[in-house]
Amino acid sequence: MLRRISKQTNLITRHNYCFIAISSQRALYNHPSNFSIRHRSQYLFLALRLFLNSTSSSHNRKPFSQSFHSSTSKMATVSYDVLILGSGQAATPLALAFAAAGQKVSLVEKSHIGGCCVNEGCTPTKTMISSGRVAYLARRGQDYGVHTSKGERNEVVVEMEKIRQRKRDIVASFRGGSERRLKAAGVDILMGEGSFVGKNEVHVSINDGSEKIVKAGKIFINVGERPVPPSFPGWENVHKERMLDSTSIQELSVVPGHLIVIGGGYVGVEFAQLFRRLGAEVTILQRGKQLLPREDLEIAEEMKKILEEDGLKILLNSEASGVESSTSEEFTLTVETKDAAVTTLKATHLLHATGRIPNTEGLNLAACGLSTNKRGYIEVNEYLETPTANIFAMGDVKGPPAFTHISYDDFRILKNNLLPSNSPLGSDSTPPPSAKASTASRQIPYVVYTDPQLGHIGLHEAEARAKFPNRSIKTAKMPMSYVARALETDETRGMMKATIDSDTGEILGFTCLGIEGGEIMGIVQTAMMGNLPWITLRDAVWAHPTLAESLNNLWGFL
């Protein structure tokens, strides 16, 4: 009788532990927190272990908390002065700076050194865009009296595998240089993923399967972003090799027959024009009323005109509503407009380019007292400090604007404030608040590498009028066909636009959609940095015939 009761009690206990284990796992998977799939799997393992313990005699059974702590206590623990999670554009120079200051530094990176810019962003895409421009100019050769064939346009043969390999070689060169510098400086590189287990402790899952706990006096989060995955109905029915994002599209070995680009932002228009120039039929679907939603309307309309001149089809106020059919060779996309009109498009490839999301869900931020905003970004103050002491965030993970040069400026701010002996301040102590570098007043230049380029600095007209409703704001707009150098090179597409305060002469913003628009923008940015009024640029003696000379004439359109 006693034996029967004992068996029934053990059975009930096992059922209860099993119920707790399963319920705990369901809670973890449904909890809207920062648990990654890896973390959830670890907790499932512990829950199953708890159940298995329950099947043994009671004196051998370990409590759940004891099982958890014993699993981490067995890991190797290493200590550093500085730990950097992610190797984006701020990470490498910051690691080198701390190492040069004699501090022990570790850098954790799950995939490749250099971050997005070197591996999937600026470096590879601009390399491929250069190939596209060569194809474009080769076809236009007859406009300059240069013939390779007798047709209306010179024939061009595109070798996609060569374009891809050229891109890979340059990426490998840039990445390898960063790796060599870090190793030479004595930075410990851990290839894996990190997640917080305390305010100064990070659990690192190494890619070789090993694990360790890393403690550090200062921790810098630089894990970046990734492309937003598609969410329109039926997208999963498109064969995965034809459903592309801004990373996978760069690995194509063939030019698409018909590429549909969902998203008319900066990334979307760059890839759309590139693959059109390489020979693909290209259609852009843009949900909004204009391309490049942040830009002034006339700039967006000029960009649309240029892309359509290049042979792209652009559908505004349109979005994908489903996949009607799909084979291994092509698919049919259903497109719906805001006026409820429905059409279908047959295509071979689809690029989903609707934005990026931060890589924060696997960090277990709650363990170090942090959280994210509703978009998943880590919020920081103007000094890049998080609410938890000695934890900082830099680069894209702290929210837009997501530009490499902004990430690099984050490094400069942190170096200035945390390593003041190496800063222009020349002090070995932490600089006073009045001397600390910050993000508060930095300018945000950017360039869109379409052809022609779109370079911008400062405020757009609408932003300026909203920010300064009581100031006398005027704009100057000039077509690139008024620029002598553009005429000489037969590159007259685009326009310039400047926004100024007519009372003070202050330049509030400038956009150049034109040949080398980014370089022209840089001249105006320099003037803005020096607080020069627009009249100084108007009266400057620029070398003739240069593109800079256009800054003599622009102001005549005020």
Side-chain angles (χ1 to χ4, degrees):
M1 181 67 175
L2 291 175
R3 186 179 301 171
R4 186 181 304 130
I5 293 174
S6 176
K7 287 182 178 180
Q8 289 174 346
T9 302
N10 283 336
L11 182 61
I12 293 170
T13 302
R14 288 198 301 271
H15 285 171
N16 287 340
Y17 273 107
C18 186
F19 173 77
I20 292 170
I22 294 171
S23 298
S24 298
Q25 180 63 6
R26 285 175 178 168
L28 286 171
Y29 270 84
N30 293 324
H31 194 275
S33 67
N34 291 313
F35 281 106
S36 68
I37 296 300
R38 187 182 74 251
H39 299 129
R40 292 167 180 166
S41 299
Q42 289 171 348
Y43 275 87
L44 176 59
F45 169 77
L46 292 173
L48 290 174
R49 179 177 173 179
L50 180 130
F51 169 65
L52 292 174
N53 284 342
S54 72
T55 62
S56 63
S57 60
S58 60
H59 68 273
N60 289 326
R61 187 179 303 134
K62 292 183 179 180
F64 182 83
S65 58
Q66 185 179 344
S67 298
F68 175 78
H69 290 297
S70 64
S71 66
T72 58
S73 63
K74 294 178 182 178
M75 296 180 195
T77 300
V78 290
S79 295
Y80 293 89
D81 300 306
V82 173
L83 172 63
I84 303 175
L85 301 177
S87 66
Q89 286 301 292
T92 296
L94 190 65
L96 294 174
F98 274 110
Q103 300 197 30
K104 187 179 179 183
V105 182
S106 178
L107 175 64
V108 176
E109 170 55 50
K110 69 176 181 179
S111 52
H112 36 227
I113 298 298
C116 174
C117 177
V118 168
N119 295 284
E120 297 111 12
C122 313
T123 299
T125 59
K126 280 46 180 181
T127 299
M128 296 179 72
I129 284 170
S130 294
S131 295
R133 177 162 170 78
V134 171
Y136 168 74
L137 290 175
R139 290 191 182 94
R140 286 193 60 205
Q142 292 168 332
D143 295 342
Y144 301 86
V146 178
H147 299 259
T148 60
S149 61
K150 295 182 178 181
E152 291 185 2
R153 280 287 182 264
N154 290 340
E155 293 181 6
V156 172
V157 177
V158 171
E159 187 180 351
M160 196 65 206
E161 290 183 343
K162 173 63 176 177
I163 292 173
R164 182 180 65 181
Q165 189 57 50
R166 177 173 174 270
K167 179 265 300 184
R168 287 176 175 176
D169 291 344
I170 292 177
V171 168
S173 174
F174 281 30
R175 182 197 303 157
S178 294
E179 291 174 348
R180 287 190 295 273
R181 289 193 298 274
L182 288 167
K183 291 177 181 177
V187 176
D188 287 345
I189 299 174
L190 303 177
M191 297 305 296
E193 271 190 274
S195 60
F196 284 92
V197 292
K199 290 186 177 181
N200 69 334
E201 292 183 320
V202 173
H203 170 263
V204 180
S205 294
I206 311 297
N207 291 345
D208 64 8
S210 62
E211 299 174 275
K212 63 177 60 179
I213 298 295
V214 178
K215 294 184 177 182
K218 290 183 176 65
I219 299 177
F220 299 85
I221 304 172
N222 189 215
V223 295
E225 298 175 299
R226 65 185 183 277
V228 171
S231 60
F232 63 88
W235 69 267
E236 64 278 2
N237 296 325
V238 179
H239 283 244
K240 62 180 181 179
E241 66 271 14
R242 300 183 182 279
M243 175 63 74
L244 308 168
D245 61 24
S246 58
T247 299
S248 60
I249 194 171
Q250 299 174 47
E251 286 299 306
L252 289 176
S253 60
V254 296
V255 176
H258 180 193
L259 173 67
I260 293 177
V261 178
I262 297 181
Y266 304 132
V267 172
V269 296
E270 282 189 1
F271 277 115
Q273 185 184 53
L274 165 62
F275 279 93
R276 176 59 188 156
R277 289 183 163 188
L278 295 179
E281 179 185 352
V282 179
T283 301
I284 297 177
L285 299 184
Q286 169 66 349
R287 179 186 295 181
K289 63 181 180 180
Q290 68 176 63
L291 295 176
L292 310 179
R294 289 186 56 195
E295 303 303 320
D296 290 334
L297 180 59
E298 60 264 59
I299 298 293
E301 289 179 342
E302 188 71 13
M303 177 67 80
K304 181 173 181 287
K305 175 184 172 182
I306 290 169
L307 295 178
E308 288 177 333
E309 186 179 285
D310 280 1
L312 286 83
K313 184 177 181 180
I314 299 171
L315 301 178
L316 301 178
N317 296 312
S318 303
E319 56 184 319
S321 58
V323 176
E324 191 172 281
S325 62
S326 178
T327 69
S328 60
E329 300 296 326
E330 64 178 12
F331 58 91
T332 301
L333 190 70
T334 304
V335 178
E336 187 172 343
T337 64
K338 286 193 174 179
D339 60 5
V342 177
T343 187
T344 57
L345 298 172
K346 285 188 179 294
T348 59
H349 296 77
L350 189 150
L351 168 62
H352 192 260
T354 61
R356 297 175 70 81
I357 52 177
N359 296 318
T360 51
E361 71 280 358
L363 292 174
N364 192 26
L365 292 171
C368 65
L370 294 179
S371 60
T372 64
N373 63 19
K374 63 182 180 180
R375 297 180 61 193
Y377 294 104
I378 299 172
E379 295 184 333
V380 296
N381 62 17
E382 63 184 291
Y383 307 115
L384 306 177
E385 298 164 339
T386 70
T388 300
N390 293 317
I391 298 182
F392 307 81
M394 53 193 187
D396 300 352
V397 75
K398 70 184 190 306
F403 298 122
T404 290
H405 42 284
I406 297 302
S407 296
Y408 192 81
D409 191 55
D410 289 349
F411 147 68
R412 286 192 290 247
I413 289 170
L414 291 166
K415 178 186 176 184
N416 181 87
N417 296 342
L418 300 176
L419 291 170
S421 61
N422 294 322
S423 77
L425 296 173
S427 169
D428 290 329
S429 60
T430 301
S434 60
K436 290 178 71 173
S438 81
T439 64
S441 60
R442 68 180 173 191
Q443 295 179 332
I444 312 294
Y446 60 86
V447 181
V448 184
Y449 283 86
T450 48
D451 187 16
Q453 296 171 8
L454 190 163
H456 177 83
I457 180 65
L459 300 174
H460 299 88
E461 179 185 356
E463 294 170 335
R465 295 190 184 280
K467 185 175 182 178
F468 305 117
N470 298 320
R471 295 177 71 169
S472 179
I473 292 174
K474 289 186 177 181
T475 62
K477 307 171 195 175
M478 184 178 77
M480 291 299 293
S481 57
Y482 280 54
V483 180
R485 183 63 181 161
L487 289 164
E488 292 157 1
T489 57
D490 199 10
E491 298 274 2
T492 58
R493 301 193 297 179
M495 64 178 290
M496 292 180 178
K497 180 177 180 179
T499 302
I500 66 154
D501 182 322
S502 62
D503 291 335
T504 64
E506 181 184 0
I507 304 170
L508 301 175
F510 174 80
T511 303
C512 181
L513 173 57
I515 177 176
E516 298 296 347
E519 308 302 327
I520 300 174
M521 176 272 292
I523 298 172
V524 179
Q525 179 184 359
T526 303
M528 293 171 68
M529 291 167 62
N531 296 314
L532 298 178
W534 64 266
I535 197 169
T536 302
L537 296 180
R538 184 198 68 182
D539 295 342
V541 180
W542 306 105
H544 176 79
T546 62
L547 292 169
E549 201 177 27
S550 62
L551 297 174
N552 287 140
N553 303 326
L554 169 64
W555 316 104
F557 290 85
L558 283 171

